[in-house]
Amino acid sequence: MVEKVNLKIDHLSVSVDAGATILEAARKVNVRIPTLCHHEDLCVAGNCRVCVVEQVGVDRLQPSCAIPVSEGMEILTNSMKVRNARKQIIELLISEHRAECTTCYKNGKCELQTLSNEYIVGESGFLPLVPLKGYTIDEFSPSIIKDDSKCIRCQRCVRTCDQIQSIGALTVAHKGGEMKISTFFDKPIYEVVCTNCGQCVNRCPTGALTEKTYINEVWNAIDNSDKYVVVQTAPAVRIALGEALDMDPGEIVTGKMVAALRRLGFNAVLDTDWSADLTIIEEGNELLQRLKRVLKDKESDVKIPMTTSCSPGWIKFIEHTFPDFLEHLSTAKSPQQMFGALAKTFYANKIGVDPSDMVSVSVMPCTAKKFEANRPEMRASGYQDVDFVVTTRELAMMVKQAGIDFKSLPDDDYDSIMGESTGAGVIFGATGGVMEAALRTVYEVVTGREVPFDGLNILPVRGMEEVREASLKIENPLPEWDFLDGVEVKTCVAHGLSNAKKVMEKVKNGEADYHFIEIMACPGGCLGGGGQPLPTSPEIRKKRAEAIYREDAGKKIRKSHENPEIIQIYEEFLVEPLGHKSHELLHTTYTPRNRY
């Protein structure tokens, strides 16, 4: 039984588990203590001191995020001493902060701005130090902008990059007044090990780290009558966009999102879920081909386990950290890039548009997709396959700019040809979703039967555990797959790059006997991506995941290989999975990169 500790917060009695912090105890009685460096996903830091409180009988103010409760403790969160201290701390932070709030990308979403408003900072008693600091703005990355002049040195980004992602692209340099958040040898983010995942952006409380926005470029394309602008929407966008438009987390807004995109002026509104289904066909057949070569043909040079390749943050991570294992990656491109390549070939030909006049836009939950779209490997159509990537947050801004009352929009449907999808395509948005979608198809291809799980719900690969393992035994396969009879297909699912590192270390050390591994760079998978609405928290990610699976359950078709528009494209254009045309447009390889 967990020991309980009794204390008082602002004269309110509260009982909490031993080891809880003052901050956690205050939340239990709905007393809000402001924070800046604290984040639910990260370890305790106690850097900013905004959360200080007064403990009766103790002279010094205490950081509530870092001090554990004790029996009989009496805490005051709103005494004059506390308010004055917080106000001065905020003033000190602002004195080193370029406060151009009205033109800042984070205006209205900045935690420092919110606290400044609450504590009515006004004229500060401290000298503005911004002109003396020689701050720089790093805009070289296609994904992330780093503006040192807006950094409050809370170190959330450093802890995120180290603890959640095990990358260490960001670190603390120098001491005292010279302290700053830096990179290896102060190089641009684009030139270091950064995976562009954007998790640092999601946790930055100010505008020091933001995604690079392409809103103006997209508007210019829409307004150009000579351009035919197509847009694709990722699975995780439809269950999070509402949050940025004053709706509750976990609301499914697929139909309203499609209607809004039409109102914005896109010529065609299509679905990345369609190309997620296509990815399953290509990737699933690649897995079966590798298993055949290993188990039947006894080839020794085939790389097993095969890992998924649809998360661009994971791709960049393995290029830097495990470059000797790149051949374990599936050669299948991500759904975004498959869509882009086919939009400017198959789709352009189908609707009679010159691909040079087509602008391909994708709406993604992910900042790394911006980097992916700019990779030299992603020009299979003869053009840049995806021209511009906007995040869920950017789409919400466009909806607001257009004056659209999002909540009142009627539900609308995607356009045809590349707009129909299945439940399997939808669950790509959650960790374990790619694995589940693949197993639904691969098992049926091999046995002629549906996967032996109630309602196609493969629960062992679902959930928010750091690493999940599951196996599925093949029994009584079809004659052409008889070499798989009795084989227990072993799978692994990991989300967050620190967990990817754990899995790959096992592979590297020969300790893993998996056949297939799914890795997503972000916590929770795409639904927790670096371009999703703020704030993000474990509870919000849980609600988004529940919405993903509700959307899947409500689909008429829930298996990728049964999507009629996928069947159509093979009949009319691709011919067969892993065929010549598929390899030309839908598959690629990647390049080893130095860590430093």
Side-chain angles (χ1 to χ4, degrees), residues 352-410:
V353 171
D354 190 320
S356 65
D357 294 327
M358 180 177 283
V359 177
S360 176
V361 177
S362 70
V363 184
M364 294 286 141
C366 175
T367 53
K369 289 292 183 184
K370 296 172 183 278
F371 175 85
E372 180 185 51
N374 282 275
R375 277 179 172 270
E377 301 96 337
M378 303 305 174
R379 287 162 170 75
S381 65
Y383 306 88
Q384 182 166 322
D385 296 331
V386 175
D387 296 290
F388 304 114
V389 178
V390 296
T391 61
T392 310
R393 293 192 292 263
E394 288 173 87
L395 176 58
M397 291 180 70
M398 293 181 71
V399 171
K400 292 176 182 177
Q401 288 173 359
I404 296 172
D405 181 1
F406 189 76
K407 290 183 180 180
S408 70
L409 289 174

Short mmCIF file of all heavy atoms in Angstrom, two decimals, residues 352-410:
data_model
loop_
_atom_site.label_atom_id
_atom_site.label_comp_id
_atom_site.label_asym_id
_atom_site.label_seq_id
_atom_site.Cartn_x
_atom_site.Cartn_y
_atom_site.Cartn_z
N GLY A 352 -5.59 15.15 -66.68
CA GLY A 352 -5.15 15.97 -67.80
C GLY A 352 -4.46 17.25 -67.41
O GLY A 352 -4.63 18.29 -68.07
N VAL A 353 -3.68 17.22 -66.34
CA VAL A 353 -2.92 18.40 -65.89
C VAL A 353 -1.44 18.15 -66.10
O VAL A 353 -0.92 17.07 -65.75
CB VAL A 353 -3.21 18.70 -64.40
CG1 VAL A 353 -2.26 19.78 -63.87
CG2 VAL A 353 -4.65 19.14 -64.22
N ASP A 354 -0.73 19.12 -66.66
CA ASP A 354 0.72 19.03 -66.81
C ASP A 354 1.34 19.06 -65.42
O ASP A 354 1.08 19.98 -64.64
CB ASP A 354 1.23 20.22 -67.63
CG ASP A 354 2.70 20.07 -68.03
OD1 ASP A 354 3.49 19.59 -67.18
OD2 ASP A 354 3.05 20.44 -69.15
N PRO A 355 2.15 18.06 -65.06
CA PRO A 355 2.73 18.03 -63.71
C PRO A 355 3.56 19.26 -63.38
O PRO A 355 3.72 19.60 -62.21
CB PRO A 355 3.59 16.75 -63.70
CG PRO A 355 3.75 16.37 -65.13
CD PRO A 355 2.55 16.88 -65.85
N SER A 356 4.07 19.95 -64.39
CA SER A 356 4.82 21.18 -64.11
C SER A 356 3.90 22.30 -63.61
O SER A 356 4.36 23.27 -63.02
CB SER A 356 5.55 21.64 -65.37
OG SER A 356 4.64 22.01 -66.40
N ASP A 357 2.60 22.13 -63.86
CA ASP A 357 1.62 23.12 -63.40
C ASP A 357 0.92 22.68 -62.11
O ASP A 357 0.00 23.35 -61.64
CB ASP A 357 0.56 23.37 -64.47
CG ASP A 357 1.14 24.02 -65.71
OD1 ASP A 357 2.09 24.81 -65.57
OD2 ASP A 357 0.65 23.71 -66.82
N MET A 358 1.34 21.55 -61.57
CA MET A 358 0.72 21.04 -60.35
C MET A 358 1.55 21.41 -59.14
O MET A 358 2.78 21.31 -59.15
CB MET A 358 0.55 19.52 -60.42
CG MET A 358 -0.09 18.92 -59.17
SD MET A 358 -0.36 17.12 -59.32
CE MET A 358 -1.82 17.11 -60.37
N VAL A 359 0.89 21.84 -58.08
CA VAL A 359 1.54 22.09 -56.79
C VAL A 359 0.96 21.09 -55.79
O VAL A 359 -0.25 21.03 -55.59
CB VAL A 359 1.30 23.53 -56.30
CG1 VAL A 359 1.92 23.74 -54.92
CG2 VAL A 359 1.89 24.54 -57.29
N SER A 360 1.84 20.31 -55.21
CA SER A 360 1.44 19.26 -54.29
C SER A 360 1.71 19.71 -52.86
O SER A 360 2.85 19.99 -52.49
CB SER A 360 2.22 17.97 -54.60
OG SER A 360 1.92 16.96 -53.66
N VAL A 361 0.65 19.80 -52.06
CA VAL A 361 0.74 20.26 -50.67
C VAL A 361 0.31 19.12 -49.75
O VAL A 361 -0.63 18.39 -50.06
CB VAL A 361 -0.17 21.48 -50.43
CG1 VAL A 361 -0.13 21.92 -48.96
CG2 VAL A 361 0.22 22.62 -51.36
N SER A 362 1.01 18.97 -48.65
CA SER A 362 0.57 17.97 -47.67
C SER A 362 0.37 18.63 -46.32
O SER A 362 1.11 19.55 -45.94
CB SER A 362 1.58 16.82 -47.55
OG SER A 362 2.78 17.24 -46.94
N VAL A 363 -0.64 18.16 -45.60
CA VAL A 363 -0.90 18.62 -44.23
C VAL A 363 -0.50 17.49 -43.30
O VAL A 363 -1.09 16.40 -43.36
CB VAL A 363 -2.38 18.99 -44.03
CG1 VAL A 363 -2.58 19.56 -42.62
CG2 VAL A 363 -2.84 19.99 -45.08
N MET A 364 0.49 17.74 -42.48
CA MET A 364 1.10 16.69 -41.67
C MET A 364 1.15 17.06 -40.20
O MET A 364 1.22 18.24 -39.85
CB MET A 364 2.53 16.43 -42.17
CG MET A 364 2.60 15.84 -43.56
SD MET A 364 2.11 14.09 -43.56
CE MET A 364 1.19 14.02 -45.10
N PRO A 365 1.16 16.06 -39.33
CA PRO A 365 1.33 16.31 -37.89
C PRO A 365 2.80 16.47 -37.51
O PRO A 365 3.14 16.53 -36.34
CB PRO A 365 0.75 15.04 -37.26
CG PRO A 365 1.08 13.98 -38.26
CD PRO A 365 0.94 14.63 -39.62
N CYS A 366 3.66 16.55 -38.52
CA CYS A 366 5.09 16.29 -38.36
C CYS A 366 5.93 17.39 -38.99
O CYS A 366 5.72 17.75 -40.14
CB CYS A 366 5.37 14.93 -39.03
SG CYS A 366 7.08 14.44 -39.08
N THR A 367 6.90 17.91 -38.25
CA THR A 367 7.84 18.87 -38.82
C THR A 367 8.90 18.18 -39.68
O THR A 367 9.42 18.77 -40.63
CB THR A 367 8.53 19.68 -37.72
OG1 THR A 367 9.11 18.79 -36.76
CG2 THR A 367 7.55 20.60 -37.01
N ALA A 368 9.22 16.93 -39.37
CA ALA A 368 10.24 16.20 -40.14
C ALA A 368 9.78 15.95 -41.58
O ALA A 368 10.60 15.72 -42.47
CB ALA A 368 10.58 14.88 -39.46
N LYS A 369 8.47 15.98 -41.81
CA LYS A 369 7.96 15.80 -43.18
C LYS A 369 8.41 16.94 -44.09
O LYS A 369 8.54 16.77 -45.31
CB LYS A 369 6.43 15.72 -43.16
CG LYS A 369 5.88 14.44 -42.57
CD LYS A 369 6.19 13.24 -43.46
CE LYS A 369 5.58 11.97 -42.90
NZ LYS A 369 5.95 10.78 -43.71
N LYS A 370 8.66 18.12 -43.52
CA LYS A 370 9.17 19.25 -44.30
C LYS A 370 10.57 18.92 -44.83
O LYS A 370 10.90 19.20 -45.98
CB LYS A 370 9.20 20.51 -43.44
CG LYS A 370 7.84 20.99 -42.96
CD LYS A 370 7.98 22.13 -41.94
CE LYS A 370 6.65 22.59 -41.37
NZ LYS A 370 5.94 23.53 -42.24
N PHE A 371 11.38 18.32 -43.96
CA PHE A 371 12.72 17.89 -44.37
C PHE A 371 12.63 16.78 -45.40
O PHE A 371 13.34 16.77 -46.41
CB PHE A 371 13.51 17.42 -43.15
CG PHE A 371 14.87 16.85 -43.46
CD1 PHE A 371 15.97 17.68 -43.60
CD2 PHE A 371 15.05 15.48 -43.63
CE1 PHE A 371 17.23 17.15 -43.89
CE2 PHE A 371 16.29 14.95 -43.92
CZ PHE A 371 17.39 15.79 -44.05
N GLU A 372 11.76 15.81 -45.15
CA GLU A 372 11.61 14.67 -46.05
C GLU A 372 11.24 15.13 -47.46
O GLU A 372 11.78 14.63 -48.45
CB GLU A 372 10.54 13.72 -45.51
CG GLU A 372 10.31 12.50 -46.39
CD GLU A 372 9.17 11.63 -45.89
OE1 GLU A 372 8.07 12.17 -45.66
OE2 GLU A 372 9.37 10.42 -45.73
N ALA A 373 10.31 16.07 -47.55
CA ALA A 373 9.86 16.54 -48.87
C ALA A 373 10.99 17.19 -49.66
O ALA A 373 10.96 17.21 -50.89
CB ALA A 373 8.71 17.53 -48.71
N ASN A 374 11.99 17.70 -48.95
CA ASN A 374 13.13 18.36 -49.61
C ASN A 374 14.31 17.43 -49.86
O ASN A 374 15.34 17.88 -50.38
CB ASN A 374 13.59 19.56 -48.76
CG ASN A 374 12.69 20.76 -48.93
OD1 ASN A 374 12.85 21.55 -49.85
ND2 ASN A 374 11.71 20.89 -48.04
N ARG A 375 14.19 16.17 -49.50
CA ARG A 375 15.28 15.21 -49.77
C ARG A 375 15.48 15.05 -51.28
O ARG A 375 14.50 14.99 -52.04
CB ARG A 375 14.94 13.84 -49.17
CG ARG A 375 15.24 13.66 -47.70
CD ARG A 375 14.82 12.27 -47.26
NE ARG A 375 15.24 11.95 -45.91
CZ ARG A 375 16.39 11.38 -45.59
NH1 ARG A 375 17.27 11.08 -46.54
NH2 ARG A 375 16.69 11.12 -44.34
N PRO A 376 16.71 14.90 -51.73
CA PRO A 376 16.94 14.68 -53.16
C PRO A 376 16.38 13.36 -53.66
O PRO A 376 16.10 13.21 -54.86
CB PRO A 376 18.48 14.71 -53.27
CG PRO A 376 18.99 14.45 -51.89
CD PRO A 376 17.97 15.02 -50.96
N GLU A 377 16.16 12.40 -52.75
CA GLU A 377 15.59 11.11 -53.15
C GLU A 377 14.12 11.22 -53.54
O GLU A 377 13.57 10.30 -54.14
CB GLU A 377 15.70 10.08 -52.00
CG GLU A 377 17.12 9.82 -51.52
CD GLU A 377 17.49 10.65 -50.31
OE1 GLU A 377 16.86 11.71 -50.10
OE2 GLU A 377 18.42 10.24 -49.58
N MET A 378 13.50 12.34 -53.17
CA MET A 378 12.05 12.45 -53.32
C MET A 378 11.66 13.28 -54.55
O MET A 378 10.87 14.22 -54.46
CB MET A 378 11.45 13.05 -52.04
CG MET A 378 11.77 12.25 -50.79
SD MET A 378 11.28 10.49 -50.93
CE MET A 378 11.96 9.82 -49.41
N ARG A 379 12.19 12.88 -55.70
CA ARG A 379 11.87 13.56 -56.95
C ARG A 379 11.63 12.53 -58.06
O ARG A 379 12.05 12.70 -59.20
CB ARG A 379 13.00 14.52 -57.34
CG ARG A 379 13.02 15.77 -56.46
CD ARG A 379 14.35 16.51 -56.53
NE ARG A 379 14.26 17.81 -55.86
CZ ARG A 379 14.25 18.00 -54.55
NH1 ARG A 379 14.30 16.95 -53.75
NH2 ARG A 379 14.19 19.22 -54.03
N ALA A 380 10.96 11.45 -57.70
CA ALA A 380 10.75 10.36 -58.65
C ALA A 380 9.86 10.75 -59.81
O ALA A 380 9.93 10.15 -60.89
CB ALA A 380 10.16 9.15 -57.91
N SER A 381 9.03 11.76 -59.62
CA SER A 381 8.11 12.17 -60.68
C SER A 381 8.79 13.03 -61.73
O SER A 381 8.19 13.35 -62.77
CB SER A 381 6.95 12.97 -60.07
OG SER A 381 7.43 14.18 -59.50
N GLY A 382 10.05 13.39 -61.49
CA GLY A 382 10.74 14.32 -62.36
C GLY A 382 10.67 15.74 -61.85
O GLY A 382 11.29 16.66 -62.40
N TYR A 383 9.90 15.93 -60.78
CA TYR A 383 9.76 17.22 -60.10
C TYR A 383 9.90 16.95 -58.60
O TYR A 383 10.03 15.80 -58.19
CB TYR A 383 8.39 17.83 -60.39
CG TYR A 383 8.08 17.97 -61.85
CD1 TYR A 383 7.46 16.91 -62.55
CD2 TYR A 383 8.39 19.13 -62.55
CE1 TYR A 383 7.18 17.02 -63.90
CE2 TYR A 383 8.11 19.25 -63.91
CZ TYR A 383 7.51 18.19 -64.58
OH TYR A 383 7.24 18.30 -65.92
N GLN A 384 9.91 17.99 -57.78
CA GLN A 384 9.81 17.75 -56.35
C GLN A 384 8.42 17.17 -56.10
O GLN A 384 7.41 17.81 -56.38
CB GLN A 384 10.02 19.04 -55.55
CG GLN A 384 9.97 18.79 -54.05
CD GLN A 384 10.49 19.96 -53.23
OE1 GLN A 384 11.45 20.62 -53.62
NE2 GLN A 384 9.87 20.23 -52.09
N ASP A 385 8.38 15.96 -55.58
CA ASP A 385 7.11 15.24 -55.48
C ASP A 385 6.10 15.96 -54.57
O ASP A 385 4.91 16.02 -54.87
CB ASP A 385 7.34 13.82 -54.97
CG ASP A 385 8.17 12.99 -55.96
OD1 ASP A 385 8.09 13.27 -57.16
OD2 ASP A 385 8.90 12.09 -55.51
N VAL A 386 6.56 16.44 -53.43
CA VAL A 386 5.72 17.23 -52.52
C VAL A 386 6.35 18.61 -52.41
O VAL A 386 7.49 18.75 -51.96
CB VAL A 386 5.60 16.58 -51.13
CG1 VAL A 386 4.81 17.47 -50.17
CG2 VAL A 386 4.93 15.20 -51.24
N ASP A 387 5.62 19.63 -52.83
CA ASP A 387 6.20 20.97 -52.89
C ASP A 387 6.25 21.66 -51.53
O ASP A 387 7.26 22.25 -51.17
CB ASP A 387 5.40 21.83 -53.87
CG ASP A 387 5.50 21.31 -55.30
OD1 ASP A 387 6.59 21.42 -55.89
OD2 ASP A 387 4.50 20.77 -55.81
N PHE A 388 5.15 21.58 -50.79
CA PHE A 388 5.08 22.27 -49.50
C PHE A 388 4.39 21.39 -48.47
O PHE A 388 3.40 20.73 -48.77
CB PHE A 388 4.30 23.59 -49.63
CG PHE A 388 4.85 24.53 -50.66
CD1 PHE A 388 4.12 24.83 -51.79
CD2 PHE A 388 6.11 25.10 -50.50
CE1 PHE A 388 4.62 25.69 -52.76
CE2 PHE A 388 6.63 25.96 -51.46
CZ PHE A 388 5.89 26.25 -52.59
N VAL A 389 4.95 21.40 -47.27
CA VAL A 389 4.35 20.68 -46.14
C VAL A 389 3.94 21.71 -45.08
O VAL A 389 4.76 22.54 -44.67
CB VAL A 389 5.34 19.68 -45.52
CG1 VAL A 389 4.71 18.98 -44.31
CG2 VAL A 389 5.79 18.65 -46.55
N VAL A 390 2.68 21.66 -44.68
CA VAL A 390 2.22 22.49 -43.56
C VAL A 390 1.77 21.57 -42.44
O VAL A 390 1.27 20.47 -42.66
CB VAL A 390 1.07 23.45 -43.97
CG1 VAL A 390 1.55 24.45 -44.99
CG2 VAL A 390 -0.13 22.69 -44.50
N THR A 391 1.98 22.03 -41.23
CA THR A 391 1.61 21.23 -40.06
C THR A 391 0.13 21.42 -39.74
O THR A 391 -0.55 22.28 -40.30
CB THR A 391 2.43 21.65 -38.83
OG1 THR A 391 2.14 23.03 -38.54
CG2 THR A 391 3.92 21.48 -39.08
N THR A 392 -0.35 20.62 -38.81
CA THR A 392 -1.72 20.77 -38.32
C THR A 392 -1.93 22.19 -37.80
O THR A 392 -2.97 22.81 -38.05
CB THR A 392 -2.01 19.75 -37.19
OG1 THR A 392 -1.62 18.44 -37.63
CG2 THR A 392 -3.47 19.75 -36.80
N ARG A 393 -0.93 22.70 -37.08
CA ARG A 393 -1.03 24.06 -36.54
C ARG A 393 -1.12 25.10 -37.66
O ARG A 393 -1.90 26.06 -37.57
CB ARG A 393 0.19 24.37 -35.66
CG ARG A 393 0.27 23.56 -34.38
CD ARG A 393 1.33 24.11 -33.45
NE ARG A 393 2.68 23.94 -33.93
CZ ARG A 393 3.50 22.96 -33.58
NH1 ARG A 393 3.07 22.04 -32.74
NH2 ARG A 393 4.72 22.89 -34.05
N GLU A 394 -0.34 24.91 -38.72
CA GLU A 394 -0.37 25.86 -39.84
C GLU A 394 -1.71 25.83 -40.55
O GLU A 394 -2.24 26.88 -40.95
CB GLU A 394 0.76 25.55 -40.81
CG GLU A 394 2.16 25.91 -40.30
CD GLU A 394 3.23 25.43 -41.25
OE1 GLU A 394 3.57 26.17 -42.19
OE2 GLU A 394 3.73 24.29 -41.06
N LEU A 395 -2.28 24.64 -40.73
CA LEU A 395 -3.60 24.56 -41.36
C LEU A 395 -4.63 25.30 -40.53
O LEU A 395 -5.48 26.02 -41.06
CB LEU A 395 -4.02 23.10 -41.56
CG LEU A 395 -5.44 22.91 -42.13
CD1 LEU A 395 -5.60 23.61 -43.48
CD2 LEU A 395 -5.78 21.43 -42.26
N ALA A 396 -4.57 25.16 -39.22
CA ALA A 396 -5.50 25.87 -38.34
C ALA A 396 -5.36 27.38 -38.53
O ALA A 396 -6.37 28.10 -38.55
CB ALA A 396 -5.26 25.49 -36.88
N MET A 397 -4.13 27.86 -38.69
CA MET A 397 -3.92 29.29 -38.91
C MET A 397 -4.53 29.73 -40.24
O MET A 397 -5.14 30.80 -40.33
CB MET A 397 -2.43 29.60 -38.89
CG MET A 397 -1.80 29.47 -37.52
SD MET A 397 -0.03 29.85 -37.52
CE MET A 397 -0.06 31.61 -37.80
N MET A 398 -4.40 28.89 -41.27
CA MET A 398 -5.00 29.24 -42.56
C MET A 398 -6.52 29.30 -42.48
O MET A 398 -7.14 30.18 -43.08
CB MET A 398 -4.55 28.22 -43.62
CG MET A 398 -3.07 28.26 -43.95
SD MET A 398 -2.61 27.06 -45.23
CE MET A 398 -3.36 27.81 -46.69
N VAL A 399 -7.11 28.37 -41.73
CA VAL A 399 -8.56 28.37 -41.55
C VAL A 399 -8.99 29.67 -40.87
O VAL A 399 -9.98 30.31 -41.27
CB VAL A 399 -9.01 27.14 -40.74
CG1 VAL A 399 -10.48 27.24 -40.35
CG2 VAL A 399 -8.76 25.86 -41.53
N LYS A 400 -8.25 30.09 -39.86
CA LYS A 400 -8.57 31.33 -39.16
C LYS A 400 -8.38 32.54 -40.08
O LYS A 400 -9.21 33.46 -40.09
CB LYS A 400 -7.70 31.47 -37.91
CG LYS A 400 -8.01 30.46 -36.81
CD LYS A 400 -7.04 30.59 -35.65
CE LYS A 400 -7.31 29.56 -34.56
NZ LYS A 400 -6.32 29.65 -33.46
N GLN A 401 -7.27 32.54 -40.85
CA GLN A 401 -7.02 33.65 -41.76
C GLN A 401 -8.15 33.81 -42.78
O GLN A 401 -8.49 34.92 -43.20
CB GLN A 401 -5.68 33.44 -42.49
CG GLN A 401 -4.46 33.63 -41.60
CD GLN A 401 -3.18 33.25 -42.32
OE1 GLN A 401 -3.20 32.82 -43.47
NE2 GLN A 401 -2.05 33.41 -41.63
N ALA A 402 -8.73 32.68 -43.18
CA ALA A 402 -9.80 32.70 -44.18
C ALA A 402 -11.15 33.08 -43.58
O ALA A 402 -12.14 33.19 -44.31
CB ALA A 402 -9.89 31.35 -44.87
N GLY A 403 -11.20 33.25 -42.26
CA GLY A 403 -12.45 33.64 -41.62
C GLY A 403 -13.51 32.56 -41.61
O GLY A 403 -14.71 32.84 -41.57
N ILE A 404 -13.07 31.31 -41.64
CA ILE A 404 -14.00 30.18 -41.69
C ILE A 404 -14.44 29.80 -40.28
O ILE A 404 -13.62 29.62 -39.38
CB ILE A 404 -13.33 28.97 -42.38
CG1 ILE A 404 -13.01 29.29 -43.84
CG2 ILE A 404 -14.21 27.73 -42.28
CD1 ILE A 404 -12.17 28.24 -44.54
N ASP A 405 -15.74 29.68 -40.09
CA ASP A 405 -16.29 29.19 -38.83
C ASP A 405 -16.25 27.66 -38.89
O ASP A 405 -17.18 27.02 -39.37
CB ASP A 405 -17.73 29.69 -38.65
CG ASP A 405 -18.33 29.23 -37.32
OD1 ASP A 405 -17.64 28.55 -36.55
OD2 ASP A 405 -19.52 29.54 -37.07
N PHE A 406 -15.16 27.11 -38.39
CA PHE A 406 -14.89 25.69 -38.56
C PHE A 406 -15.99 24.81 -37.97
O PHE A 406 -16.42 23.83 -38.58
CB PHE A 406 -13.53 25.34 -37.93
CG PHE A 406 -13.05 23.96 -38.23
CD1 PHE A 406 -12.52 23.63 -39.47
CD2 PHE A 406 -13.14 22.95 -37.28
CE1 PHE A 406 -12.07 22.34 -39.74
CE2 PHE A 406 -12.70 21.67 -37.54
CZ PHE A 406 -12.16 21.36 -38.78
N LYS A 407 -16.44 25.16 -36.77
CA LYS A 407 -17.42 24.32 -36.09
C LYS A 407 -18.73 24.19 -36.85
O LYS A 407 -19.43 23.19 -36.74
CB LYS A 407 -17.70 24.87 -34.69
CG LYS A 407 -16.53 24.72 -33.71
CD LYS A 407 -16.93 25.24 -32.34
CE LYS A 407 -15.79 25.11 -31.35
NZ LYS A 407 -16.16 25.61 -30.00
N SER A 408 -19.08 25.21 -37.62
CA SER A 408 -20.37 25.21 -38.31
C SER A 408 -20.30 24.54 -39.69
O SER A 408 -21.34 24.38 -40.35
CB SER A 408 -20.88 26.64 -38.49
OG SER A 408 -20.09 27.35 -39.43
N LEU A 409 -19.12 24.12 -40.12
CA LEU A 409 -18.99 23.52 -41.45
C LEU A 409 -19.70 22.18 -41.52
O LEU A 409 -19.64 21.37 -40.59
CB LEU A 409 -17.51 23.31 -41.79
CG LEU A 409 -16.67 24.56 -42.09
CD1 LEU A 409 -15.20 24.18 -42.26
CD2 LEU A 409 -17.17 25.27 -43.35
N PRO A 410 -20.38 21.91 -42.64
CA PRO A 410 -20.94 20.56 -42.84
C PRO A 410 -19.83 19.58 -43.20
O PRO A 410 -18.79 19.98 -43.72
CB PRO A 410 -21.90 20.77 -44.02
CG PRO A 410 -21.27 21.89 -44.80
CD PRO A 410 -20.64 22.81 -43.79
#
